[in-house]
Structure formats: structure tokens, C-alpha cells
């Protein structure tokens, strides 16, 4: 089951990244026009994809033993162990927080202009944080993690 969760979590990164990019590109292209129900749905699906990653990620964090490594000697000296115990967790939690704000604050904005602006601002920050916090296989020490 853990392996299944890990494969899902790994593949879903592309869904999250694709939804973020499409939502941002469309928000930029249409920012002068009226805010459509379709654009709101894109923002909602983007947020949901991140919430699913959150759920899977937290399950992996507990089940693979990363949580219990916090505070153990040597963990902070190891690039990979520090990455999964702290950096990936904190980076992604912040990204998902901004991603949730991108949907929620856009929904609550009074004008169409502000709805687009909030999507662009918050989903933009979420995208940067996610790209920076993924264990890409070209990062030294992360060769064992795939592209998919
Ligand atoms: C640890 C797991 C999760 C946490 C902590 C979490 C947290 C939240 C929070 C704080 C909101 C409120 C956003 C707002 O202000 O509107 C929210 C909304 C929502 N979440 Fe999650 N979520 C989690 C997992 C999931 C999962 C697994 C799904 C779907 C498969 C999901 C789908 C949604 C949906 C549909 C909304 C409502 C959005 C709306 O219509 O405005 N969440 N969640
Ligand atoms: C949008 C959010 C996220 C994305 C895009 C993402 C992406 C990834 C990717 C690509 C991997 C490598 C999977 C592999 O190749 O096997 C991974 C692993 C992992 N992620 Fe996330 N992640 C996200 C959020 C989270 C969160 C919130 C947590 C919570 C702690 C988390 C915990 C983990 C853990 C524990 C692993 C497995 C490391 C291992 O034991 O090998 N992730 N994540």
C-alpha cells in the first residue's frame, strides 16, 4: 500500500503542475475580460489536486518513518534525510497554503479583476515553491527518485 501511495504521489505531481500552469496562463490571457465559471473551476481543481497530495504526503511521512526521524542524531547532516523530514514538508505545506488561498481569496474577491489578480499572485507563489521543493532526480543525492 505504501508503494501504491508513493506512485500516486509521484505521478500526481504532474497533475498539480499542469493545473497550476494552465490556471495561471488562462488567468494572464483573460485578465482584462470577465471572470468565468470555468476559470473558477480550474482554480478549484488546482486546489483539490494539492489537497490530495497533502493527504498522500502526510500518509507517506508517517508510514515511511520520516516523522519519527525528527530529532534523531545525524538526520540533519544527511541531504536526503533532511530534505524529506524538513525541507519537502515545510516547502510543500507553504505551497499548499498559498494554493488554498489562491482559490479561497479569489472566490471571495469583489471584482473580476481582483479574482484574476489573486489567482495569479497565490498560484504563482505556490508554483515556485512546488518546483523548488520536488525531489527532482537531477538533484545530487536524489538519483533514486524518478520523473514519474
Ligand atoms: C490533510 C488533508 C486536507 C486538509 C488539511 C484540507 C484543508 C482544507 C481547507 C483549510 C479548506 C478550506 C478552503 C476555503 O477557505 O475554502 C479546504 C477546502 C476544500 N478541500 Fe481540502 N483539505 C484536505 C484534503 C482534501 C482532499 C483529500 C480533498 C479532495 C479529494 C479536498 C477537497 C477540498 C474541497 C473540494 C474544498 C472546498 C473548496 C471550495 O469549494 O471552496 N481536501 N480543505
Ligand atoms: C503539491 C505538493 C507535493 C508535491 C508536488 C510532492 C511531490 C513529491 C515527489 C515528486 C516525490 C518523489 C516520489 C518518488 O519519486 O518516489 C515525493 C515524495 C514524498 N513526499 Fe511529497 N509532494 C507534495 C507534498 C507533500 C507533503 C505535504 C508531504 C507531507 C509530509 C509530502 C511527503 C512526501 C514523502 C514522505 C515522500 C516520500 C519520500 C520517501 O520516503 O521516499 N509531500 N513528493
Amino acid at each position: 500500500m505504501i508503494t501504491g501511495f508513493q506512485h500516486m504521489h509521484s505521478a500526481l505531481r504532474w497533475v498539480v503542475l499542469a493545473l497550476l500552469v494552465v490556471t495561471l496562463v488562462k488567468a494572464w490571457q483573460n485578465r482584462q475580460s470577465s471572470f468565468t465559471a470555468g476559470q473558477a473551476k480550474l482554480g478549484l481543481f488546482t486546489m483539490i489536486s494539492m489537497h490530495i497530495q497533502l493527504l498522500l504526503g502526510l500518509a507517506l511521512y508517517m508510514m515511511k518513518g520520516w516523522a519519527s526521524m525528527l530529532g534523531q542524531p545525524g538526520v540533519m547532516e544527511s541531504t536526503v534525510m533532511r530534505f524529506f523530514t524538513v525541507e519537502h514538508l515545510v516547502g510543500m505545506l507553504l505551497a499548499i497554503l498559498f494554493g488554498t488561498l489562491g482559490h479561497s481569496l479569489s472566490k471571495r474577491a469583489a471584482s473580476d479583476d481582483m479574482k484574476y489578480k489573486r489567482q495569479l499572485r497565490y498560484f504563482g507563489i505556490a508554483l515556485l515553491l512546488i518546483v523548488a521543493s520536488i525531489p527532482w532526480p537531477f538533484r545530487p543525492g536524489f538519483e533514486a527518485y524518478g520523473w514519474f
Side-chain angles (χ1 to χ4, degrees), residues 83-100:
F83 179 83
F84 282 115
T85 49
V86 182
E87 294 163 11
H88 187 71
L89 172 75
V90 174
M92 292 307 191
L93 284 179
L94 279 174
I96 295 165
L97 175 72
F98 281 109
T100 306

Side-chain angles (χ1 to χ4, degrees), residues 6 9-10 13 53 57 61 64 66 84 88-89 92 145:
Q6 192 161 339
H9 189 71
S10 186
R13 94 182 85 177
Q53 281 299 66
Y61 195 72
K64 294 200 75 174
W66 296 106
F84 282 115
H88 187 71
L89 172 75
M92 292 307 191
Y145 294 89

Side-chain angles (χ1 to χ4, degrees), residues 26-34 112-113 116-117 120:
K26 292 210 158 208
W28 180 256
Q29 284 173 341
N30 302 326
R31 67 193 186 282
Q32 317 279 25
S33 0
S34 58
D112 285 2
D113 178 60
Y116 280 123
K117 279 201 176 122
L120 287 166

Side-chain angles (χ1 to χ4, degrees), residues 16-31 35 38-39 42-43 46 50 98-99 102-103 115-131:
V16 173
L17 290 172
L19 281 168
L20 274 170
V21 169
V22 171
T23 307
L24 284 167
V25 168
K26 292 210 158 208
W28 180 256
Q29 284 173 341
N30 302 326
R31 67 193 186 282
F35 194 85
Q39 185 66 23
L42 267 178
T46 305
M50 286 191 252
F98 281 109
H103 167 70
K115 284 179 190 289
Y116 280 123
K117 279 201 176 122
R118 286 182 173 173
Q119 279 196 338
L120 287 166
R121 194 175 302 158
Y122 293 105
F123 287 142
I125 296 171
L127 178 61
L128 293 179
L129 284 168
I130 288 173
V131 169

